[in-house]
Each structure stands twice: as structure tokens, then as C-alpha cells.
Amino acid sequence: MNRSAPQPPDPGDGPVPVDGDPGRFPPGSGTVPPTGPGPVPAPAAPPPLDDLVYEHGPGRRVYYAARQRRVDVTALGKLVLALPTFLMSTLMVLLVGAVLDGSLGLPFWIPTALWLVSGALAFHRPTEDLLARYLLGLRRPMPPEAARLEPVWREVTAVAGVDGAVYQLWVEESDDLNAYAAAGHIVGVTRFALEQLPSGQLAAVLAHELGHHAGGHAWSSLLSHWYGLPGRAAWRALRVVARSVVTPARCAVYLSTGVLLLAVGGLGSTAAAILYGLPLLLVLPYLSAAVGRRAELRADRHAAQLGFAPNLAEVFQTMHANRARSPRRTFAVGGERTQREPGSAHARLLSTHPDFPTRLHHLRGYL
């Protein structure tokens, strides 16, 4: 064959360049001229397994329970154990009100009343949006994420007899397996959980978080934290002042501030000791952690009673395996993050989440 002689085009060879120009192809040929060697795109990750049976899809009738929320004993326990911190915070707010009354003429009871009423903002939707975005670092689901998350959430809430539209779904940009129940209506999951968990396991995680809302754990934890902020802030300020290097000119100011803080702290400790007794006051952190662990087990039981016990057990087994491989990196459905060594007895007593073997043991009756 004469290589210099032009050959007629073969229709089976695909589109032919125009006028012999290798960079020009006929319109509509669907061929892009090669631009040189480039990276080969990695294959897309397979989507998570959709193994959930959807019995309450769109258009299906859903029966709602007459009582969708309650306040169980663990939620009440959190509020009761937060009373000492609440008393300390109240004294601090009263002190600030007295200072404003003397300097600005503002009645001292106004700051206290505003602070007491502010707890109701935990159930205010715009305030919850700010809390989710700027305090918890969550974001609204993207359209593909919403397309995967919303049907699973609708199935979980329908099985529970709960109006799922009452709650707000959020996503955290994280590679950890985690989920959240916060304030009055926030339900969040990490991007990793959304992308990697099969639908059945994702439903079990969401059912666990729904259990926190149904039992009142989420709002009681938020109120306990909120009403304890002034007291904790005063204690931290006292520690900062004690550690800072003071000059003689500021010594009198720091000294008077320290005396006031110590006086208020003494009053708060005395009130708490009278209310609970000194021995109980000393073990208060351990009791609070124990109540938190009981709340997690109750949320696990809520998910198990809805029929998600096998899926939740699979999630816990995966978490336990990940924790064994990375002992300093923990995963917890419910939002706890800690850097303590998991084998420490003191860390286990102060942990608000039970260990995974304990949680699996409590699920055995539902498997």
C-alpha cells in the first residue's frame, strides 16, 4: 500500500476530520479532539446500599401518636443535677444586675428576668437555625443529600407515629460517623454517615436521635448548658485572673473582683450543699455522666422498639472496630467527642456515652 496516497474514508471508522485538519471535526460528530495525555478519572464510589423497606412512602396514610414527646426520668435527672450550676448562674446575673442598677439606673431584676426567659429561645426556629449553623457547624442538605436523607427520615418518623416535618434535618461536613439531636427540632448527621451507611443503618441512627427528642433529652441538655453558662464563665474568669500577671495598679481591681467571685461562689456552693448535701455535691459530675449514659441507652431502646435493633447493632460493631484501630479517635451517635483514653476508668466514669459492648448487650433482647 502506498502510504502517501489518500485513502477514501471508511464509514465504519467514525467521524473524519474536515479538510484533513486533525483538529476539526464535523458538527454533531460527538468527537472531541485529543488534547494530550491527562489523568484518568477515578471511578465513582458506589452508592450506599438501599436495604430499607419503605412501607410509608409518599401518598401512604400515616397515623400519628397522640403523644409524640414526653419528659422521661433521664431528662428530669439532667435538670435536677443542673440546679447547683443554675443557682450559681442566678447569683452571677443578680450581681451584674446590681452593678447595672448602680451605674445605669437599670432595675436589677430586668437582666435576671431576660436571662430566665431566654431559655425559651431553644424552641424558636430562627434561633435554632443560628445554633445549628454557627455553634454546631451544621449546614442544610444539598439536593442529592436531601434526596437520600428525607425518604429514610420519613420512614423512621412514620413508624414512630411522629410528624417528621416538625424537625429540621442538617448535615455536618465530617468524615466521622456521628449524629446529633439538639435544641427542640435539630436532627443532624455527618456527611460520612450519609454517604457510607446503608439505608437501614442510617435509619437506625436517625431513630436513635428521634429517641433523644421524644424523651426530652435534647432540650433538657441544652437548657442545662445554657442556664449554667454565667456560673461557668465566672469560674473561668476567676481562673484567668489567678493565672495572669497583675501590676500593682490593677491589683486592687483584681482583688475586689476575686473577692466578689469567691463570695458568689461560696453562696452558690452553700446553697448547693444545703440542697444536695456536700457528699452528693462532690460526686455531681459523675452522676451527671451516669444520667447521660442512661439517656443514650434509652435512645437505643427507642430505636430498637421501632424495629431497627439489628441495624443499630451493626452500626455499633462498626464503631467498635474503628475505635479499636484508632484508640484516640472516638465515634459516638449522639454527638459526644472526647480525646480521653478509652481504657481509663476515670474517663469511663465521666463519659456521657456507654461503651459499645454495653450498648450491644442492652440490644440483645431486641435482636
Side-chain angles (χ1 to χ4, degrees):
M1 178 185 294
N2 187 4
R3 294 182 180 273
S4 61
Q7 300 295 324
D10 186 357
D13 293 338
V16 181
V18 177
D19 298 333
D21 187 352
R24 298 176 59 195
F25 286 83
S29 63
T31 302
V32 179
T35 57
V40 178
L49 175 65
D50 191 2
D51 57 350
L52 184 63
V53 178
Y54 298 93
E55 299 180 352
H56 303 84
R60 300 292 296 272
R61 179 174 295 180
V62 177
Y63 295 93
Y64 294 149
R67 187 180 179 185
Q68 300 189 10
R69 293 197 188 211
R70 64 187 186 278
V71 182
D72 64 19
V73 65
T74 54
L76 291 176
K78 288 182 180 181
L79 296 176
V80 171
L81 293 175
L83 281 178
T85 310
F86 172 74
L87 293 175
M88 177 70 176
S89 299
T90 303
L91 292 173
M92 288 303 306
V93 175
L94 287 173
L95 177 62
V96 172
V99 172
L100 294 177
D101 190 6
S103 59
L104 302 178
L106 183 67
F108 75 95
W109 58 268
I110 292 182
T112 306
L114 292 176
W115 175 67
L116 292 175
V117 174
S118 64
L121 293 176
F123 303 95
H124 184 234
R125 294 303 181 91
T127 304
E128 282 188 333
D129 288 349
L130 297 176
L131 175 68
R133 293 179 187 275
Y134 300 107
L135 186 61
L136 299 179
L138 306 179
R139 60 170 175 80
R140 292 292 189 180
M142 302 291 286
E145 296 170 336
R148 167 162 165 74
L149 183 60
E150 290 175 356
V152 178
W153 176 248
R154 182 173 57 247
E155 183 66 23
V156 170
T157 55
V159 172
V162 173
D163 185 5
V166 172
Y167 298 93
Q168 299 175 349
L169 299 176
W170 297 83
V171 176
E172 181 193 18
E173 278 293 336
S174 174
D175 292 329
D176 293 344
L177 176 53
N178 211 339
Y180 302 92
H185 310 91
I186 295 175
V187 176
V189 295
T190 58
R191 178 179 48 80
F192 178 88
L194 192 59
E195 294 179 351
Q196 301 298 326
L197 290 183
S199 297
Q201 296 183 15
L202 180 62
V205 171
L206 294 176
H208 172 94
E209 303 308 328
L210 181 61
H212 281 306
H213 279 297
H217 309 156
W219 64 262
S220 63
S221 297
L222 179 61
L223 291 184
S224 300
H225 178 78
W226 172 251
Y227 284 122
L229 280 178
R232 287 192 295 270
W235 177 248
R236 291 175 182 175
L238 181 61
R239 294 177 60 183
V240 170
V241 170
R243 293 177 180 178
S244 63
V245 179
V246 297
T247 60
R250 299 178 178 176
C251 185
V253 177
Y254 287 141
L255 181 61
S256 60
T257 304
V259 169
L260 289 175
L261 292 176
L262 287 175
V264 174
L267 291 174
S269 300
T270 303
I274 294 174
L275 184 62
Y276 292 105
L278 186 59
L280 187 59
L281 183 64
L282 295 177
V283 298
L284 202 59
Y286 301 96
L287 290 176
S288 299
V291 171
R293 293 193 295 270
R294 179 57 57 180
E296 293 300 320
L297 293 177
R298 282 179 172 266
D300 292 346
R301 186 175 66 182
H302 179 271
Q305 289 175 342
L306 296 181
F308 297 105
N311 306 105
L312 191 60
E314 293 173 356
V315 174
F316 290 156
Q317 291 169 359
T318 302
M319 290 178 167
H320 185 60
N322 290 336
R323 189 171 190 175
R325 288 194 294 266
S326 302
R328 292 194 62 84
R329 184 181 181 184
T330 62
F331 306 88
V333 174
E336 182 199 28
R337 290 173 180 164
T338 175
Q339 293 297 325
R340 297 188 184 96
E341 291 293 339
S344 170
H346 184 260
R348 288 197 299 268
L349 288 175
L350 289 177
S351 175
T352 57
H353 284 65
D355 57 75
F356 297 122
T358 300
R359 300 176 81 165
L360 288 169
H361 172 75
H362 283 269
L363 288 177
R364 289 178 59 186
Y366 299 93
L367 297 178

